[in-house]
């Protein structure tokens, strides 16, 4: 699939911009702060209804404007679809597909699929577990849009349950305690139902990614370092060591309830939920060692790229979903050494559509020669 | 900002649910321009609603006497109680003319974020009714959102030892809609659909 035309209104720095795009590689070139990333961020927004840079929507709307509009003409399976989303901070997004409103913006998910590489990806390896959980969950939604609802439900139950635990944290051993516990059991059961569903989805996903990650790592890493051992991913759940990680929702829900009752005292004392997918970790390993803390800077980059490439491979393999996802490489080449830069460029060069941003043309590897658009002061100009 | 009492009026109106600052301003200026007789009638109704309307001592629904119209009605089936969150839910169900039993209005749903627990709802009153009355079935008609579901689960667990028949309203496809337009969550729910609460 590809984006044939992107138009923005009051999005980030743009008052209004129209950007026609071809299949193959398009490089968006311009100095920092001129709005290159805003363009690819908008493509990502159409695919995920979220930004890779900020968690809130407010910064996406141009200062002084009330709402932003992102519009994309998407071509998949030779069919053309017009996606439109109107972003109003503090309110629900409004979306239209081919000019007809959809009841919830969420229903637009899955039409455009994109995989984005950005300097922030390094945090996948070096950052907190939350970064890796988000990577898994975002990919899960991209692959199966239904999970957007599962994820939202889980977050909501978790918030409610934490609020209840916090309210009980101060009043232990008082008479109110037993009443609180009865309500808590209700939240336990809702948490385990939603949690098991999310967990089952992640387990499935990790199984799908597992073989692809090492393949991608070997393809990206320098040959001499590749011998440091295979790159592997492992899911570590908060349900305890002896719970088999298979995508069986009923079993997982029961295991989760069990673990919740084991940790009841600790949860009441600390006033937070200690069991569930929000406490899990995707462990990255190079040979026998964990990547975090042991991998060099270059190895960490290779691993981050490998995760994203594996995600791309996984999505691409699903032939019924409208073809290859759109690849977006936002300012990554400047971060990579010469070798990784060339390897990555070669790996993605054949994709149906690749959008690259860079400050100077020299940052774009030769393998990715294609169309070029200059971005300057909120104006875009096609050069070739 | 407007001067004195006009701004006070806008602020007060702005506190009403569903009324934003712009609407509050519009309503305020409408009232300023309106016939004094109309405004006095509105004031009168507002005072009267606070003086006269009370909540039914049995079910918690809005009433003008000690008991509401439905609880007083001898033709209503005393063996079934339908639990709802708010009085407006009673009105919604009454419109269907399908239900001939009586109601119990909780006054909300369990939501720890808002500090609402079972003690803040009319749960104890419900338990008293279930113990005294000749009730055989309890229908849980709380909202089909997370808080409503949690409240339903809570009540189902609570009354389980009493050996009543406990049911939950079905959730799923809207009548008159097309299957292909249903979102996945609703469609998934419709599949799970038929439910007899089993805890």
């Amino acid at each position: 699939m590809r984006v044939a035309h992107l138009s923005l209104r009051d999005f980030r720095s743009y008052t209004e911009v129209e950007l026609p795009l071809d299949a193959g590689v398009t490089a968006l070139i311009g100095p920092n702060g001129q709005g290159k990333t805003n363009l690819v961020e908008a493509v990502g927004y159409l695919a995920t209804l979220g930004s890779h840079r900020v968690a809130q929507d407010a910064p996406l709307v141009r200062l002084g404007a009330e709402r932003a509009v992102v519009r994309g003409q998407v071509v998949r399976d030779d069919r053309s679809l017009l996606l439109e989303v109107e972003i109003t901070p503090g309110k629900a997004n409004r979306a239209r597909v081919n000019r007809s409103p959809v009841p919830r913006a969420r229903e637009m998910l899955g039409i455009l699929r994109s995989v984005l590489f950005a300097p922030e990806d390094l945090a996948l390896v070096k950052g907190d577990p939350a970064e890796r959980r988000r990577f898994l969950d975002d990919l899960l939604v991209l692959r199966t849009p239904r999970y957007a609802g599962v994820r939202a439900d889980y977050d909501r139950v978790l918030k409610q349950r934490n609020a209840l635990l916090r309210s009980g944290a101060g009043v232990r051993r008082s008479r109110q305690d037993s009443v609180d516990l009865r309500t808590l059991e209700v939240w336990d059961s809702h948490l385990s139902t939603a949690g098991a569903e999310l967990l089952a989805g992640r387990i499935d996903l990790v199984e799908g990614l597992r073989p692809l990650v090492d393949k991608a790592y070997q393809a990206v890493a320098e040959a001499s370092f590749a011998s440091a051992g295979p790159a592997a991913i492992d899911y570590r759940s908060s349900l305890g060591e002896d719970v088999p990680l298979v995508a069986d929702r009923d079993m997982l829900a029961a295991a989760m309830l069990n673990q919740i009752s084991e940790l009841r005292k600790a949860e009441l004392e600390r006033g937070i939920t200690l069991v569930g997918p929000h406490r899990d970790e995707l462990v990255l390993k190079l040979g026998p060692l964990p990547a975090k803390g042991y991998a060099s800077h270059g190895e960490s980059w290779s691993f981050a790229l490998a995760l994203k490439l594996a995600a791309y491979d996984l999505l691409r393999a699903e032939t019924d979903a409208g073809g290859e996802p759109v690849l977006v490489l936002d300012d990554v080449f400047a971060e990579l050494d010469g070798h990784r830069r060339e390897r990555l460029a070669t790996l993605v060069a054949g994709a149906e559509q690749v959008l690259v941003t860079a400050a100077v043309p020299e940052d774009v590897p030769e393998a990715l020669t294609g169309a070029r658009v200059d971005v300057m002061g909120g104006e875009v100009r096609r050069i070739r | 900002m407007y001067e004195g009492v006009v701004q006070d009026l806008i602020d007060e109106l702005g506190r009403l649910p569903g009324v934003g600052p712009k609407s509050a301003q519009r309503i305020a200026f409408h009232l300023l321009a309106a016939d004094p007789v109309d405004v006095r009638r509105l004031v009168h109704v507002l005072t009267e609603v606070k003086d006269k309307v009370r909540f039914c001592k049995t079910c918690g629904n809005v009433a003008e006497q000690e008991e509401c119209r439905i609880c007083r009605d001898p033709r209503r089936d005393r063996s079934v109680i339908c639990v709802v969150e708010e009085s407006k839910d009673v009105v919604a169900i009454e419109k269907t003319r399908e239900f001939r039993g009586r109601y119990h209005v909780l006054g909300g749903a369990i939501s720890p974020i808002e500090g609402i627990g079972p003690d803040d709802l009319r749960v104890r009153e419900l338990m008293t009714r279930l113990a005294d009355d000749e009730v055989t079935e309890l229908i849980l008609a709380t909202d089909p959102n997370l808080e409503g579901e949690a409240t339903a689960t809570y009540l189902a667990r609570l009354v389980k030892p009493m050996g009543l028949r406990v049911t939950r309203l079905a959730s799923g496809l809207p009548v008159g809609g097309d299957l292909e337009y249903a979102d996945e969550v609703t469609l998934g729910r419709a599949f799970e659909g038929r439910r007899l609460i089993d805890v």
Side-chain angles (χ1 to χ4, degrees):
Chain A
M1 64 180 70
R2 64 192 171 89
V3 179
H5 192 102
L6 180 72
S7 67
L8 309 178
R9 211 180 67 217
D10 293 328
F11 185 85
R12 288 275 190 188
S13 55
Y14 293 99
T15 315
E16 194 127 34
V17 73
E18 302 289 330
L19 178 63
L21 291 164
D22 292 334
V25 178
T26 301
L28 304 164
I29 309 288
N32 291 328
Q34 302 299 318
K36 308 180 296 284
T37 296
N38 299 348
L39 294 169
V40 293
E41 183 181 34
V43 172
Y45 201 94
L46 287 176
T48 63
L49 292 176
S51 155
H52 69 286
R53 293 150 92 195
V54 287
Q56 256 80 43
D57 278 345
L60 301 180
V61 179
R62 190 176 60 85
L63 211 63
E66 215 170 296
R67 62 184 71 90
V69 179
V70 179
R71 196 173 287 134
Q73 189 78 45
V74 175
V75 178
R76 45 177 284 174
D77 299 333
D78 296 322
R79 270 190 347 122
S80 185
L81 285 140
L82 181 66
L83 305 185
E84 289 170 279
V85 59
E86 192 181 286
I87 308 163
T88 315
K91 282 195 188 161
N93 287 343
R94 287 206 305 206
R96 298 201 297 170
V97 177
N98 283 340
R99 309 247 173 231
S100 337
V102 291
R104 267 181 298 189
R106 212 153 81 184
E107 281 165 44
M108 209 175 78
L109 291 172
I111 297 179
L112 173 64
R113 311 214 286 179
S114 80
V115 175
L116 175 128
F117 293 70
E120 289 88 348
D121 289 345
L122 194 56
L124 284 177
V125 182
K126 294 194 166 185
D128 293 337
E131 303 278 351
R132 291 176 284 281
R133 288 193 294 266
R134 193 166 59 231
F135 165 73
L136 287 180
D137 290 349
D138 285 348
L139 184 56
L140 199 55
V141 172
L142 214 51
R143 218 178 149 207
T144 322
R146 186 178 66 84
Y147 278 100
V150 175
R151 196 178 173 184
D153 281 354
Y154 182 75
D155 288 348
R156 181 94 187 141
V157 184
L158 186 63
K159 263 199 199 126
Q160 287 283 19
R161 191 169 185 275
N162 279 340
L164 184 62
L165 284 171
R166 262 199 308 280
S167 74
V171 294
R172 256 172 300 134
R173 278 183 219 93
S174 76
R175 223 166 48 81
Q176 267 189 316
D177 200 28
S178 61
V179 180
D180 269 347
L181 276 180
R182 263 217 315 263
T183 325
L184 189 56
E185 281 170 12
V186 171
W187 294 110
D188 291 351
S189 91
H190 284 257
L191 187 81
S192 61
T193 316
E197 201 171 352
L198 184 59
L199 184 53
R202 284 192 193 165
I203 290 170
D204 249 354
L205 181 64
V206 170
E207 285 313 310
L209 283 175
R210 201 189 297 281
L212 302 172
V213 170
D214 185 49
K215 200 180 113 237
Y217 185 85
Q218 304 304 338
V220 168
E222 237 159 310
S224 55
F225 289 137
S227 58
I233 53 172
D234 265 317
Y235 192 82
R236 198 168 65 210
S237 97
S238 54
L239 299 189
E241 297 280 316
D242 43 352
V243 175
L245 288 178
V246 288
D248 173 349
R249 266 150 63 176
D250 292 342
M251 182 278 292
L252 292 172
M256 196 162 151
L257 270 182
N258 190 38
Q259 185 73 351
I260 285 172
S261 66
E262 290 280 317
L263 294 181
R264 176 71 87 215
K265 199 161 154 275
E267 284 195 332
L268 285 172
E269 271 168 18
R270 295 180 51 187
I272 50 165
T273 299
L274 297 172
V275 185
H278 69 291
R279 304 280 294 186
D280 294 355
E281 163 74 303
L282 180 70
V283 184
L284 312 178
K285 281 194 299 199
L286 270 179
L289 295 173
K292 192 181 175 179
Y294 287 90
S296 70
H297 188 72
E299 285 171 333
S300 297
W301 256 119
S302 294
F303 216 128
L305 295 175
L307 287 172
K308 284 296 177 83
L309 283 168
Y312 175 71
D313 281 342
L314 190 72
L315 294 175
R316 194 170 55 169
E318 290 171 344
T319 44
D320 57 342
E324 292 184 9
V326 174
L327 262 176
V328 179
L329 304 161
D330 182 21
D331 260 334
V332 276
F333 290 112
E335 304 273 334
L336 301 177
D337 57 37
H339 177 79
R340 287 187 181 82
R341 186 193 282 222
E342 292 308 323
R343 299 295 284 266
L344 179 62
T346 319
L347 284 169
V348 302
E352 186 176 344
Q353 187 174 43
V354 187
L355 306 177
V356 188
T357 73
V360 288
E362 296 76 59
D363 274 349
V364 181
E366 255 172 51
L368 293 179
T369 309
R372 175 175 158 188
V373 173
D374 277 6
V375 183
M376 185 65 103
E379 301 278 321
V380 298
R381 198 155 52 93
R382 180 80 180 255
I383 299 292
R384 67 161 189 262
Chain B
M1 283 294 268
Y2 295 91
E3 278 179 43
V5 70
V6 177
Q7 188 61 45
D8 290 347
L9 177 60
I10 294 174
D11 291 346
E12 287 303 320
L13 290 169
R15 264 184 242 194
L16 301 174
V19 181
K22 286 256 169 66
S23 307
Q25 190 175 311
R26 202 161 67 228
I27 299 169
F29 279 95
H30 171 82
L31 291 173
L32 278 177
D35 189 333
V37 178
D38 290 341
V39 178
R40 264 188 217 111
R41 197 169 52 240
L42 177 64
V43 171
H44 177 70
V45 179
L46 284 177
T47 337
E48 210 170 28
V49 85
K50 279 316 269 185
D51 287 348
K52 275 199 183 158
V53 175
R54 56 193 105 220
F55 294 95
C56 170
K57 72 173 167 65
T58 311
C59 72
N61 193 7
V62 286
E64 285 209 356
Q65 299 176 21
E66 263 204 357
E67 274 199 318
C68 73
R69 195 174 40 76
I70 296 168
C71 287
R72 287 200 315 268
D73 188 343
R75 289 165 303 174
R76 305 290 295 214
D77 184 350
R78 300 181 69 85
S79 68
V80 192
I81 288 182
C82 176
V83 179
V84 295
E85 290 181 20
E86 309 283 352
S87 291
K88 55 181 192 269
D89 301 330
V90 172
V91 177
I93 296 176
E94 280 299 283
K95 275 191 197 151
T96 67
R97 298 181 174 274
E98 284 291 325
F99 179 64
R100 297 303 301 159
R102 292 182 302 159
Y103 295 92
H104 192 84
V105 181
L106 289 173
I110 296 176
S111 174
I113 291 175
E114 295 162 271
I116 301 172
D119 290 348
D120 306 300
L121 304 172
R122 300 183 71 257
V123 171
R124 195 168 299 124
E125 289 86 339
L126 176 66
M127 296 310 284
T128 317
R129 279 180 85 182
L130 295 178
D132 289 356
D133 268 332
E134 58 270 52
V135 179
T136 55
E137 180 176 354
L138 191 66
I139 301 172
L140 300 173
T142 48
D143 288 342
N145 55 24
L146 175 63
E147 290 75 18
E149 294 289 354
T151 310
T153 314
Y154 176 81
L155 292 175
R157 287 176 178 224
L158 203 59
V159 302
K160 197 189 175 194
M162 303 172 106
L164 296 173
R165 179 177 143 89
V166 180
T167 52
R168 175 93 175 102
L169 285 195
S171 61
L173 299 167
V175 177
D178 282 330
L179 198 69
E180 56 173 314
Y181 292 127
D183 66 288
E184 304 96 339
V185 179
T186 307
L187 202 51
R189 281 284 191 85
F191 265 99
E192 289 167 11
R194 52 195 199 272
R195 52 190 290 186
L196 186 73
I197 280 212
D198 178 18
V199 283

